Amino acid sequence: MGIPVLLFASYADALGSRTLDVPITAPCTTAELVAALRALPGGDRLPPKPLIAINQRWAKGEAVIQAADEVAVIPPVAGG
């Protein structure tokens, strides 16, 4: 069982889905999750350090992800 991840905009387009069950075991760090995402088909379009939210709060540094956490990977947003 992996970690369910929400994807938005260009990241969802790159990986072909708005939600993915990423094949990694919890607990893990955000860096480990990103590495697992980048290993998936289309994942090479993600930057090395995308914005990540855990339970609707921005994750900073090497945050730890638990099995029951809601994880979102969010592309940069521009606007005024």
Side-chain angles (χ1 to χ4, degrees):
M1 182 172 163
I3 296 177
V5 175
L6 305 173
L7 301 164
F8 297 91
S10 61
Y11 295 169
D13 293 341
L15 289 154
S17 180
R18 292 181 181 204
T19 61
L20 283 178
D21 196 32
V22 179
I24 190 168
T25 303
C28 67
T29 66
T30 53
E32 292 169 331
L33 177 75
V34 170
L37 274 169
R38 289 174 52 88
L40 296 173
D44 59 331
R45 293 173 50 192
L46 270 66
K49 294 184 178 182
L51 296 173
I52 295 180
I54 301 172
N55 298 325
Q56 301 182 10
R57 294 183 183 256
W58 294 118
K60 296 181 181 177
E62 292 283 322
V64 176
I65 300 168
Q66 301 295 333
D69 288 341
E70 177 187 71
V71 179
V73 182
I74 304 166
V77 178

